[in-house]
Amino acid sequence: MTPGASISQESAPSRWLFGPAVDLLLGCGLGYIAIFSVLTVFGAELKLLVPPSVGPLLSLFIGAPHYGATLLRVYDTAEDRRRYLIHGGLITLVIWLAFWAGVHVGVVASALITIYLTWSPWHYSGQNFGIALMFLHKRGVPVSARARKLLHLSFQLSFGLAILPMHGASPQLEYQPSGLELDAAGFVSLGIPNLIGTVLFVVLGLAYLTTVVGAGVTLGRSARRWKDLVPTGLLVFTQSLWFVVPLVGQRVFGEVEALSSGYAFMWIALGHMVQYLWITTYFKRRESNAGGRMGFYLAALAAGGATWFLPAMIFAPHRLGDLTWDAGLGMLVASAVNIHHFVLDGAIWKLRSAPVANVLLSKTDGADAPSALGSLSRLGLRRLLRPAVLGIGALSVAGLYATSFESRYGLNGGLQRRDLERVDLAVERLHWLGRDSSSARIAAAELRARVGDPLEAIQQVEDVLRKDETNVNAWLAVGRLQGGVGNLELAIAAAERAMALEPTSKLATAQLGFELARAAQTQEHLVESALDFARQLVEASEGQDALSFRRLALAQAAAGLTDDARASALRARELAVTSEEQRLVEGQLAFLLP
């Protein structure tokens, strides 16, 4: 009897893990399909009901256990630790040593962040493919080598489409965790030229459609009933909503809430994490022949919470690190945790692995094994250390909840209420919890200026600059605050410094133009200084830089040299090569262009 035949004779319940409703909703993506539909029609309303600020809190109770479940699978028992010695020991050590180096060395940090963001869609795609294949096997659908290859290739091609925007000439980082700011220097794009990127997008898109149709036709011929293909079909459709439809939709319709990055990806990430918990909870229950789902969840929550919380606490700027949370530490923690998760996940979840296949593809229970919490008590540690291990996990979860609470209700809520005392308290608490944030300190300083203490506010922002002279937002804040107290020369100088650090910044350009226009009314020498500076930039670029002419046009307009400003604007438009340069020039110099 063939393996496919033996599987097809399983009883009806074995066709599902928890039952059709739960499996289709959580495992096959039906829940995300519903959210995508709501986002498409009622995106603004959903954003008000579930704002992006709740993302970290949802990630705590869904994301942390999702990471912790993998840790329990690798480190839970002595047998597991021996089985995954290379991945759980040597490779893990290399990853966290790289994290330690990245905290102090920018090149290493950029490498980790680039690997993480590029690998992330591959990880999501691999999980969807594995589950799709599992449902085919559980239904006894014969999967030929051709069908498997076509199905696998469709997931791989959707990954290729997903990373094209990341590695284009103007990188668009669609798939990154919400609530974490990414320094432009942190991600290293391949810089694929726009024309080549467009050609690749068309080629990969057509190949994707071909493989999806080919896999569907091939599997349809071998399946006895079309119902047997429903779970796999839903997973293929979910995959397209995660990585293909958004990219095509943005090119056709522009910015649509369900198709845009950031908020939409928060739901994609949560869908992936829920899917992971769905299958790992089933696996642990069947493998251990125990029904304690809550015990497994709590153990996974503690393990995942510690992994996310402790690195930030240990390597905060006032401890062993140099980076604030928003200046790169947050992305480094996310990168190390996720790369570690990707490596371990790739090692343990393989249907060709006998222990995994015996549980996921059979209705019989696996060999008896201790439950998650029970095995956690037998980690090989001394009995006196067990309370410490569990306590650290519980404290880490409490710390993550505290950071989410302080960020949303203490900091953001205090800023909305103009409650300076509460904002200051939130900033200090986040500092102690390893979430020291320059942007939070800048926001607190600007609130201080609004409630009547601008000089102290300037001092606070300058304290941020003393620690990081490359902080563009801090220079812009100093410029706004100095302009507010009438120090226009210092305001212009701060805006110039911000533009020197980030020439493509729309905010810096707008602020410089505003300060120049205001200074032109009373202090002509400041405008002359700005004109001289802009002319020097044009000369330095030998008259071949669109952004230098953009700055010159703004300065000339502020000085009242309208004809010269129009000529510089035309030259800027002529030199603009990339789509980003074209948007900047045409958007900011529209009042000068015909």
Side-chain angles (χ1 to χ4, degrees):
M1 184 179 290
T2 65
S6 63
I7 293 174
S8 68
Q9 294 174 5
E10 292 179 338
S11 59
S14 68
R15 295 164 59 83
W16 303 100
L17 301 188
F18 292 98
V22 173
D23 287 5
L24 293 174
L25 190 69
L26 304 183
C28 298
L30 197 58
Y32 179 78
I33 293 171
I35 290 173
F36 180 88
S37 302
V38 173
L39 268 172
T40 303
V41 182
F42 304 107
E45 290 80 0
L46 182 62
K47 208 167 187 177
L48 287 175
L49 183 65
V50 187
S53 58
V54 306
L57 188 61
L58 291 173
S59 183
L60 168 59
F61 294 108
I62 299 175
H66 142 261
Y67 295 103
T70 299
L71 297 177
L72 292 178
R73 178 71 181 143
V74 173
Y75 301 108
D76 204 20
T77 67
E79 180 184 355
D80 289 333
R81 295 193 294 278
R82 286 192 298 269
R83 180 183 301 160
Y84 305 113
L85 180 62
I86 299 298
H87 296 83
L90 180 61
I91 297 178
T92 295
L93 178 63
V94 170
I95 291 170
W96 287 103
L97 284 175
F99 166 80
W100 170 77
V103 172
H104 304 284
V105 182
V107 173
V108 179
S110 294
L112 281 175
I113 292 170
T114 303
I115 291 171
Y116 157 50
L117 292 177
T118 304
W119 196 342
S120 186
W122 178 267
H123 172 70
Y124 283 37
S125 302
Q127 180 169 299
N128 275 340
F129 169 69
I131 295 172
L133 205 61
M134 177 196 75
F135 275 117
L136 290 173
H137 287 316
K138 287 181 74 66
R139 278 152 178 72
V141 176
V143 182
S144 65
R146 174 183 172 79
R148 188 185 190 283
K149 185 175 182 179
L150 285 171
L151 185 63
H152 195 200
L153 192 56
S154 74
F155 286 93
Q156 292 174 325
L157 287 168
S158 65
F159 157 76
L161 288 167
I163 66 169
L164 272 180
M166 294 185 189
H167 291 282
S170 301
Q172 301 172 32
L173 300 175
E174 307 274 342
Y175 303 101
Q176 58 173 313
S178 60
L180 294 180
E181 296 184 27
L182 178 60
D183 190 326
F187 178 82
V188 181
S189 170
L190 293 176
I192 301 172
N194 291 332
L195 178 59
I196 296 177
T198 300
V199 172
L200 285 174
F201 186 84
V202 172
V203 171
L204 292 179
L206 292 174
Y208 169 76
L209 287 175
T210 302
T211 55
V212 168
V213 172
V217 171
T218 306
L219 290 171
R221 290 171 178 169
S222 59
R224 291 178 303 163
R225 300 176 303 176
W226 67 267
K227 292 181 180 180
D228 292 336
L229 300 180
V230 168
T232 297
L234 279 175
L235 282 158
V236 171
F237 184 52
T238 299
Q239 176 80 5
S240 72
L241 292 184
W242 284 4
F243 300 122
V244 181
V245 173
L247 300 176
V248 175
Q250 284 178 26
R251 289 174 178 256
V252 176
F253 302 108
E255 286 297 319
V256 179
E257 194 65 68
L259 305 177
S260 63
S261 59
Y263 185 66
F265 180 68
M266 179 184 83
W267 292 107
I268 294 175
L270 290 173
H272 164 79
M273 293 170 182
V274 167
Q275 184 188 63
Y276 193 87
L277 284 175
W278 159 79
I279 196 167
T280 52
T281 300
Y282 172 84
F283 186 91
K284 194 64 183 180
R285 187 187 68 172
R286 299 282 291 187
E287 181 190 44
S288 63
N289 201 21
R293 300 179 194 174
M294 184 54 67
F296 172 71
Y297 172 82
L298 292 175
L301 177 63
T307 306
W308 269 97
F309 184 70
L310 293 179
M313 280 287 288
I314 295 170
F315 288 94
H318 54 291
R319 297 188 178 103
L320 299 181
D322 298 326
L323 297 171
T324 59
W325 180 257
D326 59 336
L329 180 60
M331 279 303 302
L332 269 176
V333 172
S335 299
V337 169
N338 278 283
I339 291 173
H340 185 226
H341 173 70
F342 298 163
V343 167
L344 298 184
D345 181 79
I348 62 179
W349 295 111
K350 296 182 183 300
L351 288 179
R352 62 176 176 269
S353 168
V356 174
N358 286 340
V359 174
L360 294 183
L361 302 183
S362 173
K363 68 177 181 179
T364 59
D365 294 330
D368 288 348
S371 65
L373 284 177
S375 60
L376 194 63
S377 68
R378 292 184 284 274
L379 283 173
L381 301 173
R382 296 179 180 179
R383 183 172 298 178
L384 291 177
L385 291 181
R386 182 187 172 220
V389 172
L390 294 174
I392 288 172
L395 288 174
S396 297
V397 172
L400 288 173
Y401 176 79
T403 61
S404 179
F405 180 86
E406 287 299 326
S407 295
R408 186 178 183 191
Y409 297 103
L411 180 62
N412 295 333
L415 289 171
Q416 292 174 1
R417 299 188 304 271
R418 293 198 172 190
D419 185 348
L420 182 60
E421 183 178 353
R422 185 64 182 90
V423 169
D424 284 341
L425 179 61
V427 169
E428 288 309 308
R429 285 178 175 175
L430 290 170
H431 168 80
W432 187 85
L433 289 166
R435 297 299 195 273
D436 196 7
S437 168
S438 298
S439 59
R441 294 186 180 276
I442 292 168
E446 295 198 293
L447 175 60
R448 188 176 301 279
R450 287 195 294 273
V451 299
D453 194 358
L455 297 181
E456 177 63 23
I458 291 172
Q459 181 63 46
Q460 285 186 328
V461 180
E462 288 178 344
D463 287 343
V464 172
L465 285 171
R466 273 189 281 273
K467 297 176 183 177
D468 181 10
E469 293 183 353
T470 64
N471 191 315
V472 173
N473 290 329
W475 281 111
L476 291 174
V478 165
R480 289 190 295 270
L481 294 171
Q482 292 287 9
V485 297
N487 296 329
L488 298 184
E489 188 168 357
L490 293 177
I492 291 173
E496 291 278 10
R497 182 63 185 272
M499 285 198 66
L501 290 168
E502 192 174 329
T504 60
S505 170
K506 296 181 181 180
L507 185 59
T509 303
Q511 186 167 316
L512 177 60
F514 172 76
E515 298 297 349
L516 285 171
R518 183 162 61 169
Q521 300 175 10
T522 57
Q523 303 181 46
E524 187 175 342
H525 71 283
L526 296 182
V527 179
E528 288 297 328
S529 176
L531 275 170
D532 289 340
F533 183 72
R535 287 171 181 142
Q536 290 173 18
L537 289 178
V538 171
E539 291 176 4
S541 68
E542 298 182 351
Q544 299 300 314
D545 179 45
L547 299 180
S548 297
F549 273 101
R550 178 196 60 168
R551 177 180 286 184
L552 179 59
L554 288 171
Q556 289 168 333
L561 304 174
T562 306
D563 291 340
D564 291 342
R566 286 174 179 156
S568 296
L570 288 170
R571 181 60 175 160
R573 183 167 65 180
E574 180 184 339
L575 291 171
V577 177
T578 67
S579 58
E580 180 66 20
E581 287 179 344
Q582 291 169 357
R583 285 194 298 269
L584 287 172
V585 169
E586 293 178 2
Q588 295 168 5
L589 302 180
F591 67 101
L592 294 171
L593 293 168

